[in-house]
Amino acid sequence: IAGEVGDSAQVTITINAESLATVTMRGDSILRYSETPIEIGGSGSGSGGEGESTGTSTSSVSMAAFNCYASDTLTEKLVKIYRFQYEPKFDITVGENGWRELVSAKNVELPEGLKAYIVSEIVDNKKARLKEVTKVKADTPYVLKGSSNTTYTLTTVDGEVEVPTDNKLLISDSSTGDGVYVIDTTSDKVSFNKWNDGLLGGGHPYLPTIDNGKNNLTICIIGSGDANCDGVVDTKDIEEIANFIMGEQTSETFDEKAADANEDDKVNAADIVEVVNIISSNP
């Protein structure tokens, strides 16, 4: 929100459609717009206070920036000063296939209809097993699943939220590049796809490079009933589970932990009943 005369300069955060933030400096005096080249990079530190601004980084580009100055040094190109306003809620929108990535600056709780997952393990260098979580820890990478092209409101959570210890997802920095795996948010059949477009950019959840890994890692959600890991729970999954129980041939993408729909650590007729219930509740 707009500041008032006498306010100390704080911070302005602008978040784009990719959930990446542009942050102005923080200081005890006044922010001034500058068009001079500044040092930025993949790693660095900075501080501002009492009219001073310092920082270190690894590379240099020419770009506009906000800098902090004591009031008696101001001469031109003043900008508005803003107070930081805490927002207990924020909105996100999932894409066409209902998936997106998330690294939240705050601990958050998910609304009905939106689910968050970590990647608990990689199986045979070709399958990514996902495990659902109910709360999202700040500065921790997740992938989200909701309804196609839908906006959801996330609510921040006070207090501690447990960090998922078996999460294989990492958060990219400016040096993260080709060979890592990122969640596909566009195709009908979602997977983790090998990234081959140069630098990924900072702040994105990703899986590290896998030796002899396929270009696309199939997604299998633990306990989902999606036994063949095709992204849909249907009668094909009932056939897969029945074949597994009877010792017959299953598909190449069959996943035992996904087939364990009631999550009792065994695949049996009870899981077939559970899958039937899932199908019936989602006509």
Side-chain angles (χ1 to χ4, degrees):
I1 59 176
E4 299 173 354
V5 175
D7 279 354
S8 293
Q10 295 294 310
V11 63
T12 301
I13 304 175
T14 302
I15 302 178
N16 66 15
E18 298 297 324
S19 299
L20 299 178
T22 301
V23 185
T24 64
M25 287 188 178
R26 179 188 180 108
D28 293 327
S29 50
I30 297 176
L31 295 177
R32 188 178 76 176
Y33 183 71
S34 171
E35 291 181 343
T36 58
I38 62 170
E39 296 287 329
I40 68 168
S43 61
S45 60
S47 62
E50 300 297 333
E52 297 180 354
S53 176
T54 62
T56 61
S57 56
T58 59
S59 61
S60 176
V61 299
S62 179
M63 62 178 290
F66 289 96
N67 292 304
C68 199
Y69 294 88
S71 58
D72 59 1
T73 67
L74 290 172
T75 58
E76 59 184 9
K77 294 185 178 178
L78 296 182
V79 298
K80 291 181 180 179
I81 302 169
Y82 290 83
R83 283 198 197 100
F84 177 77
Q85 178 171 291
Y86 174 72
E87 292 291 342
K89 298 181 179 181
F90 63 93
D91 292 339
I92 63 166
T93 301
V94 298
E96 181 66 28
N97 64 12
W99 289 84
R100 67 162 291 162
E101 58 185 31
L102 178 69
V103 178
S104 173
K106 294 283 186 179
N107 300 337
V108 294
E109 194 164 31
L110 303 174
E112 185 177 354
L114 185 66
K115 296 182 178 182
Y117 299 94
I118 62 170
V119 177
S120 62
E121 58 183 319
I122 305 297
V123 184
D124 300 329
N125 291 347
K126 62 183 181 181
K127 292 192 295 186
R129 277 193 182 136
L130 273 58
K131 182 170 72 174
E132 184 178 355
V133 295
T134 57
K135 291 184 179 179
V136 174
K137 174 73 174 177
D139 303 317
T140 303
Y142 299 87
V143 291
L144 304 181
K145 177 67 170 70
S147 298
S148 174
N149 295 321
T150 300
T151 298
Y152 296 90
T153 299
L154 276 63
T155 305
T156 57
V157 179
D158 293 329
E160 287 298 313
V161 174
E162 185 177 352
V163 180
T165 56
D166 54 347
N167 193 3
K168 305 303 180 186
L169 288 168
L170 303 174
I171 303 175
S172 64
D173 58 30
S174 61
S175 64
T176 306
D178 290 351
V180 302
Y181 290 84
V182 296
I183 188 73
D184 177 11
T185 60
T186 58
S187 302
D188 291 337
K189 187 173 181 180
V190 182
S191 60
F192 277 92
N193 298 343
K194 188 174 289 186
W195 178 262
N196 291 308
D197 291 329
L199 295 178
L200 181 60
H204 296 279
Y206 75 96
L207 293 171
T209 302
I210 300 173
D211 292 337
N212 301 316
K214 293 185 175 182
N215 287 330
N216 307 97
L217 302 180
T218 301
I219 286 179
C220 302
I221 300 174
I222 295 174
S224 64
D226 181 17
N228 61 0
C229 300
D230 66 353
V232 180
V233 179
D234 55 20
T235 56
K236 294 179 182 177
D237 299 302
I238 296 175
E239 295 174 10
E240 287 277 349
I241 297 173
N243 288 340
F244 178 80
I245 294 171
M246 294 184 292
E248 298 181 2
Q249 182 68 38
T250 57
S251 67
E252 182 181 350
T253 57
F254 175 81
D255 188 81
E256 187 172 349
K257 289 192 175 182
D260 181 18
N262 62 2
E263 297 189 64
D264 64 353
D265 294 325
K266 52 190 175 184
V267 177
N268 54 28
D271 297 301
I272 293 179
V273 174
E274 185 66 26
V275 172
V276 170
N277 291 335
I278 293 172
I279 295 171
S280 299
S281 63
N282 296 282

